[in-house]
Each structure stands twice: as C-alpha cells, then as structure tokens.
Amino acid sequence: MVRFSGGHQIGHTVSTEALTHTFSNFGSGTLLGVPTYYSEHTTLFPPAILDEGNFLKKYQPKLYFHPLAMITTFYDIAFNRAIEKQQNHGSCGLGFGTTIARNKEEVYLYANDFQFNWVLKQRLISIKNYYETKLESQPTSVQEYYKNELKDYNESYFIESCFSIQKFYSLNTLSELKTTFEHFIFEGSQGILLDTQHGFHPHTTWSYTTSKNAIELIKTHLGTDAEVAIFYVTRCYQTRHGNGPMSKTASVILQNNENEANVTNEFQGEFRTQALDIELLNYALSSDAIHHQYLKVEKNLMITCIDQLPSFSYENLLQKLDVKFNTVYGSYGPKRACISQFLSK
C-alpha cells in the first residue's frame, strides 16, 4: 500500500473477527500481510510508529520509507497545538500541518537522517531554534502553551525511537519497489474538500488529498501505460470534523453509529453530520479529474455507513452525479462481508 498524502494523523479503522484496529502509522492492509510505503509527500512520527508497530508485531508489519519522507517532532506538535488554541481552524493537533510548513521554510528532518546519530541531533537543534524564533512574534499565551506542551519532553526518547523503528522499515524509492511488487494500492488520507488546492481556506489540510500525488507517482515510477482504477469513498451522509464551512443540507437521524471513531476533541472541535450535498460531491469529483491527464482511469464508487441511514437511496444519488462509475459498492457495516455490489458495467 502506498501512502501518497497525509501522514501519522490518519485514522483508518479495520475490523476482523479477531480485532478492530485504527491504523495510523501502518497501512490498512497490514492485517493481511500487505506492507506500506510512505512517499516523499507524507510525514512520519517515530514514537507512534514504534508503539503501533509493537502492538501489531504478531502480524509482522513492514514499512518502506522514501528517503525524503518528512519527520514530525514534538516541537512540531507543540507549536501546532499552541497556535491552534488561538486560531481554531480545526487541526487534529498532531503536528502534521506544522511539519509541512516547516519543510516549506527549508528546515528539514527526513527519514534518511535516521541512519546518522549526529546528523539527527543537529537537525533537532535546528528545528528547536526555528520554533523559538517563530514564537517571538506570537502572543504570550501561545508561548506559554508551547512551553507547557514540552515540559515533559524527553529528546533522548525521541532519538531512541528513531533508531528503534528500523526493525520495521527500509529506505526505498517507488521505482526500486516496482521490481518486487506487481500491484500497488494507493491509500488516501482525507477528503477532497479538505485539499489544500480545492478546499476552503483556512479550514484545509496541508496536503493534496485528491489523487494528484498518486497520479504523479504512477506516471513517474510506474509509467503512463499503467492501468489505474480509482475507488472514491463517501459516507451516505455529509460529515465535517472540526471547524469550517458545511453546506446547509437537511439534518439526518443516524442509527447503529455507537462506535463512531470521529468524536469531538479539544483541537478539532465538534463532529457534525448532515445529508449529502450533491453539488459538493460533483465539485469534488471534478476537482479530482483535473489531475488525470495522460492516464486512462477507471472510476468506481464505494458508499459507506448505509446501515446508519436506512432512508438513503443510492439510486437517487447516482442519478444526480455527473460521473458514471464502472462499479458501485455499498457498505452496511465495518467488515468486508458487509459490502454489496450495487452496479457494474
């Protein structure tokens, strides 16, 4: 599985007969023995990789990192949380956006650096100094929150985790891996309406959540003659986790949603649900199609959480969408046995 956007802030829940697990640092195919590749467009947080990898150790989880995959530090997380308390944009508070912003300002820490102890320590000093400089222009409340977040920070533990996770990964480019694997599944991160290009500033993520990065990786490493099938995923109702605009569709009454993984929290704010907005779905699909040049793309649709909204009609939805899909599936529960095929060309 190839991660082409987002990073350690992802939460993808997988249920089997034996286990329900929310994957963050490992791809959602891990329980089936599928390894995960983190591209140069993604972020990594070593302490979380270590914790989740040890939890999943009986499944022998395997990671591949592009050498330029970006590393999140506790400094990034602390600044993210401190600034979010002031801005209230709806961040998840795990340092993803601040990691991307720091890299844009050319203050780097990469997966490649894990191999070199002295280099790693110097990079961390640079990042620490970077944030201390940024804090000088921030209100006292932000400065105090940042310092409080770091009061128990143990840099030795962070460095140790960077070396300890080497048991889970190797450094490779996608071009190198194509000689080992016949098929690649690209696993997305967040919804298209959170995309940095196509979402609604400032309530967006610092990432391309369309298929843009995936398409570029395919064209660069796998060739323009690669066969590409995209599976778009939408719940049967509209959701918004965190602050930001949400179109005024009808309210929905959900059932069987007691195990909802998205809950209101300190940084993201309230989790909201409403009926689907067809205009926004069509907008998201058209935004994604912009990035499909020079590739033949088969488009499919997966509609999830149908058991939570019994009044939902997939036929009505398909009539109003501008895209004609090759195959349409519906999911009535958390397991793959709950998936039904609605339509196929």
Side-chain angles (χ1 to χ4, degrees):
M1 305 195 74
V2 179
R3 287 277 181 90
F4 60 91
S5 65
H8 60 284
Q9 92 285 24
I10 292 174
H12 292 171
T13 301
V14 174
S15 293
T16 69
E17 295 299 330
L19 176 70
T20 293
H21 179 68
T22 300
F23 286 95
S24 179
N25 307 279
F26 293 80
S28 17
T30 299
L31 301 183
L32 295 177
V34 180
T36 306
Y37 175 75
Y38 274 85
S39 72
E40 62 270 37
H41 303 294
T42 59
T43 64
L44 307 163
F45 184 50
I49 293 173
L50 184 61
D51 288 345
E52 188 174 1
N54 286 336
F55 176 78
L56 296 168
K57 62 183 179 181
K58 76 173 184 178
Y59 298 98
Q60 299 181 314
K62 175 64 178 176
L63 298 171
Y64 296 95
F65 298 159
H66 188 285
L68 297 182
M70 297 167 281
I71 309 305
T72 291
T73 69
F74 283 103
Y75 300 115
D76 299 300
I77 295 173
F79 190 76
N80 174 198
R81 293 180 176 182
I83 205 73
E84 177 59 22
K85 295 298 286 186
Q86 178 189 52
Q87 295 176 336
N88 294 314
H89 287 169
S91 167
C92 58
L94 295 177
F96 173 74
T98 44
T99 301
I100 303 297
R102 169 172 56 77
N103 277 264
K104 286 182 179 292
E105 295 192 34
E106 301 182 345
V107 183
Y108 302 115
L109 177 60
Y110 291 131
N112 184 67
D113 303 334
F114 290 165
Q115 306 170 84
F116 310 99
N117 188 292
W118 187 85
V119 171
L120 177 57
K121 292 178 179 178
Q122 295 305 306
R123 291 283 215 183
L124 288 171
I125 291 172
S126 297
I127 294 170
K128 179 182 179 181
N129 293 338
Y130 163 79
Y131 282 116
E132 287 180 350
T133 300
K134 288 185 73 68
L135 283 167
E136 292 175 358
S137 60
Q138 294 295 328
T140 301
S141 59
V142 173
Q143 297 178 23
E144 291 177 349
Y145 198 100
Y146 176 84
K147 292 176 182 177
N148 187 61
E149 281 290 312
L150 291 174
K151 69 180 188 302
D152 297 322
Y153 171 49
N154 184 336
E155 188 152 293
S156 296
Y157 167 70
F158 180 83
I159 292 173
E160 180 182 341
S161 70
C162 292
F163 288 101
S164 296
I165 64 172
Q166 291 184 14
K167 61 187 176 183
F168 296 120
Y169 79 89
S170 62
L171 296 175
N172 297 94
T173 65
L174 202 57
S175 292
E176 292 169 338
L177 292 179
K178 73 178 181 181
T179 62
T180 303
F181 300 102
E182 184 177 354
H183 301 288
F184 293 90
I185 299 173
F186 288 75
E187 182 177 10
S189 54
Q190 297 157 286
I192 290 176
L193 296 183
L194 291 176
D195 183 83
T196 190
Q197 281 185 295
H198 303 289
F200 311 107
H201 180 79
H203 306 286
T204 56
T205 187
W206 285 69
S207 186
Y208 298 125
T209 59
T210 62
S211 58
K212 177 178 179 176
N213 288 342
I215 295 296
E216 290 181 355
L217 288 168
I218 290 168
K219 289 193 292 189
T220 300
H221 299 282
L222 306 179
T224 55
D225 59 344
E227 296 182 9
V228 178
I230 294 180
F231 289 80
Y232 294 102
V233 181
T234 179
R235 294 198 195 199
C236 61
Y237 50 90
Q238 182 183 179
T239 69
R240 180 97 204 194
H241 197 170
N243 299 321
M246 192 173 188
S247 62
K248 301 298 182 181
T249 56
S251 61
V252 294
I253 299 176
L254 303 179
Q255 302 176 17
N256 306 314
N257 64 326
E258 298 82 5
N259 296 320
E260 174 61 62
N262 292 287
V263 295
T264 299
N265 63 48
E266 178 182 3
F267 299 102
Q268 285 178 290
E270 182 184 0
F271 180 65
R272 295 170 283 160
T273 61
Q274 290 176 195
L276 280 178
D277 187 319
I278 305 302
E279 180 183 14
L280 287 180
L281 277 176
N282 280 322
Y283 170 72
L285 290 165
S286 68
S287 298
D288 194 60
I290 294 170
H291 306 290
H292 298 168
Q293 297 181 48
Y294 312 117
L295 277 179
K296 184 179 180 180
V297 176
E298 174 195 291
K299 298 182 180 182
N300 307 277
L301 179 65
M302 167 66 79
I303 307 168
T304 70
C305 304
I306 299 178
D307 58 317
Q308 298 176 16
L309 192 62
S311 61
F312 174 78
S313 169
Y314 77 87
E315 294 96 341
N316 290 341
L317 172 65
L318 296 179
Q319 288 175 4
K320 297 174 183 177
L321 291 179
D322 297 334
V323 174
K324 302 304 178 186
F325 298 99
N326 185 70
T327 309
V328 178
Y329 299 92
S331 173
Y332 290 84
K335 300 176 182 179
R336 58 185 174 183
C338 303
I339 296 173
S340 297
Q341 182 173 307
F342 290 155
L343 181 69
S344 180
K345 283 187 178 180

